[in-house]
Amino acid sequence: MNGEPLVIVGDCMLDVDVEGTATRLSPEAPVPVVDAQRVWHRPGGAGLAAVLAARGESDVVLVTALADDEDGRRLAELLDRAGVRVEPLAMSGSTVCKTRIRAVGQSMLRLDHGDGTASDDALPASVVRILRQARAVCVADYGRGVAAHAGIREVLSAIAQRIPIVWDPHPRGAPPVPGCQLVTPNEAEAQGHSAEMMRRRWQARAVCVTLGSRGAMVATGADGTVQVAVPGAAMAGSGRTDTCGAGDRFAVAATLALAQGHSVVPAVTAAVEAASRFVAAGGAVGVSSPAESGGYRGAASEATAIIGDLIEVRDRLRSRGGRLVATGGCFDLLHTGHVRLLHQARQLGDALVVLVNSDSSVRALKGPDRPVMADVDRARVLAALACVDAVVIFDETSPEDQLERLRPDVWVKGGDYTEADLPEAAVVRRHGGEVVLLPTVAGYSSSNLIAAMRS
């Protein structure tokens, strides 16, 4: 850890998506019957904000209240898998769980249960220390007590003048502490008040009212009020309009930009684009994990993936519908870092294709003594992973030609790359896809493992 984490503060919940089809009405009442096919779990609220932050940051800490019940333990497991470090507060009541029943990507019904709120116990010393070490803080308030905790508010007030604090408010939540660099209510939460009026009321350095597809209106003390529009290219994608999680994506993107030293208006501009792309790519559903229980069986639970040519894989997976994710590499000796990247990549959509360099391709990239495992064997090992839906072996040193035909919604690589290192990124973006760089697991390298064995 670098000692300066990105910290998310707020209320966490468990979100569940039941996916299926609806082709008939119930004989008991004029309501659709949803034939459930898959169940997906994901962290919601501040948990979603933390997972989104962990896509590009190696040290993300979530300060939240967790209950010691089945849903709470599941939530903690999902956060850990996503690379989020949790600093827990005590919770009174049970974990809040929100279940959406969906058919062909359309929400049909939402069921909520759980009454958990953060208790008002003394703030743990570890939480105080983490907040004081933070290089930036994003507060995702969902009105369940974390942002209203007196100890949290005292520490945030003390650090607001030296680090960026972005506060995403809630109508039932606590007001932002004075001195926040940016407060981000949406249009409904603004209740007709101007951004400048709210900036003065909350004593914030800037307030941004998010306007959905119309961008955002941001007021700062220095620049006055500025309209930030959605870039046209940011709306390219699958065409879906599920906005669930867009506010969290916006707040996290703004926090990261401010932490990198950008001023408010450029940070808001980056956040508008990030949130728009997030919505165009399917919203929070792309951050879900397949349920390990519940009796539903879908593509993610099959024991063996498709191993075939690109056109066969593309057509079979596209016929299932949903969001297509792809990643690629040599995978010459599969290790923990690979498995974690593949698992996180699968959480970004509904199917994961792994493009594997052939033996001749690996030799061209790594030298004449590689690979140590033949391409067919590497493909079989990958296909046995539950998170992998298909494997394609290709001969080129770059996957650009494969991606030109596959056209995934998301292309994933490890965080040891930058977009400048990835010529294929332009291909993915040209077809409306998103490029996601996931943090790598330190200490794992196929080349180092192979060198150690040979020595």
Side-chain angles (χ1 to χ4, degrees):
M1 302 298 176
N2 60 16
E4 292 187 334
L6 182 76
V7 179
I8 311 296
V9 174
D11 311 291
C12 203
M13 58 204 68
L14 181 63
D15 285 350
V16 181
D17 286 307
V18 179
E19 291 273 6
T21 58
T23 58
R24 67 191 192 281
L25 294 177
S26 169
E28 302 162 355
V31 294
V33 176
V34 177
D35 294 311
Q37 297 174 327
R38 291 175 291 185
V39 178
W40 305 95
H41 288 163
R42 67 173 181 272
L48 174 61
V51 169
L52 294 172
R55 286 183 179 181
E57 293 288 309
S58 61
D59 191 5
V60 174
V61 180
L62 171 63
V63 176
T64 193
L66 291 177
D68 186 17
D69 55 25
E70 183 178 352
D71 287 337
R73 289 187 288 274
R74 175 64 172 166
L75 189 50
E77 178 189 1
L78 290 170
L79 291 165
D80 181 66
R81 286 183 184 179
V84 176
R85 185 158 50 109
V86 177
E87 284 289 341
L89 305 175
M91 173 176 279
S92 300
S94 59
T95 300
V96 175
C97 181
K98 299 184 177 183
T99 301
R100 290 199 299 173
I101 313 296
R102 297 163 54 88
V104 198
Q106 175 66 48
S107 290
M108 310 290 287
L109 179 70
R110 198 180 92 178
L111 304 172
D112 292 1
H113 71 265
D115 58 355
T117 58
S119 70
D120 57 0
D121 295 354
L123 198 63
S126 59
V127 173
V128 176
R129 182 171 60 253
I130 285 294
L131 290 172
R132 289 176 176 169
Q133 290 174 346
R135 76 178 190 278
V137 175
C138 177
V139 179
D141 187 5
Y142 278 80
R144 292 194 169 270
V146 173
H149 191 289
I152 293 278
R153 296 181 67 81
E154 181 181 353
V155 179
L156 291 179
S157 296
I159 64 176
Q161 296 305 315
R162 63 176 180 81
I163 68 167
I165 295 179
V166 174
W167 195 292
D168 190 9
H170 191 278
R172 296 191 303 272
V177 300
C180 288
Q181 187 157 357
L182 182 64
V183 183
T184 62
N186 62 34
E187 192 170 15
E189 291 161 351
Q191 298 180 333
H193 299 302
S194 70
E196 176 59 22
M197 182 185 300
M198 290 184 291
R199 187 187 74 81
R200 293 178 181 177
R201 184 176 70 196
W202 287 329
Q203 301 176 54
R205 283 179 269 177
V207 164
C208 171
V209 179
T210 57
L211 306 172
S213 62
R214 306 195 320 277
M217 191 71 72
V218 57
T220 72
D223 301 321
T225 301
V226 178
Q227 171 89 42
V228 177
V230 176
M235 294 308 297
S238 66
R240 299 186 187 181
T241 57
D242 188 349
T243 60
C244 179
D248 296 301
R249 183 69 189 96
F250 181 96
V252 165
T255 305
L256 291 171
L258 292 171
Q260 293 164 4
H262 295 286
S263 58
V264 168
V265 173
V268 168
T269 302
V272 165
E273 180 170 356
S276 299
R277 285 191 179 279
F278 180 77
V279 170
V285 174
V287 193
S288 300
S289 299
E292 295 177 359
S293 62
Y296 305 107
R297 180 174 178 83
S301 61
E302 296 175 5
T304 304
I306 307 164
I307 301 178
D309 65 42
L310 187 77
I311 300 304
E312 176 198 7
V313 163
R314 182 196 65 193
D315 292 348
R316 287 178 65 179
L317 294 183
R318 283 297 189 191
S319 69
R320 298 176 183 173
R323 196 176 190 219
L324 185 61
V325 183
T327 188
C330 299
F331 298 98
D332 191 21
L333 287 191
L334 197 68
H335 55 66
T336 296
H338 289 142
V339 173
R340 176 167 165 180
L341 180 139
L342 293 168
H343 177 85
Q344 290 183 300
R346 183 59 175 80
Q347 294 181 36
L348 302 179
D350 301 297
L352 173 64
V353 178
V354 182
L355 304 179
V356 178
N357 293 81
S358 69
D359 292 347
S360 61
S361 175
V362 174
R363 280 192 291 272
L365 291 167
K366 305 286 186 179
D369 58 347
R370 297 281 298 276
V372 298
M373 289 179 62
D375 47 23
V376 174
D377 292 327
R378 287 182 278 128
R380 287 172 179 159
V381 170
L382 288 163
L385 298 176
C387 57
V388 174
D389 295 271
V391 181
V392 174
I393 300 170
F394 70 99
D395 288 321
E396 298 82 6
T397 55
S398 168
E400 290 172 82
D401 289 345
Q402 307 296 316
L403 292 171
E404 187 70 51
R405 291 181 289 164
L406 184 62
R407 299 187 180 184
D409 299 299
V410 186
W411 173 245
V412 175
K413 293 292 285 183
D416 48 347
Y417 290 91
T418 66
E419 280 210 34
D421 302 324
L422 303 174
E424 69 271 21
V427 175
V428 175
R429 290 201 181 280
R430 186 168 68 250
H431 295 295
E434 178 184 3
V435 178
V436 174
L437 302 179
L438 293 174
T440 57
V441 180
Y444 290 94
S445 160
S446 294
S447 297
N448 291 344
L449 288 171
I450 292 167
M453 289 191 303
R454 286 175 170 168
S455 66

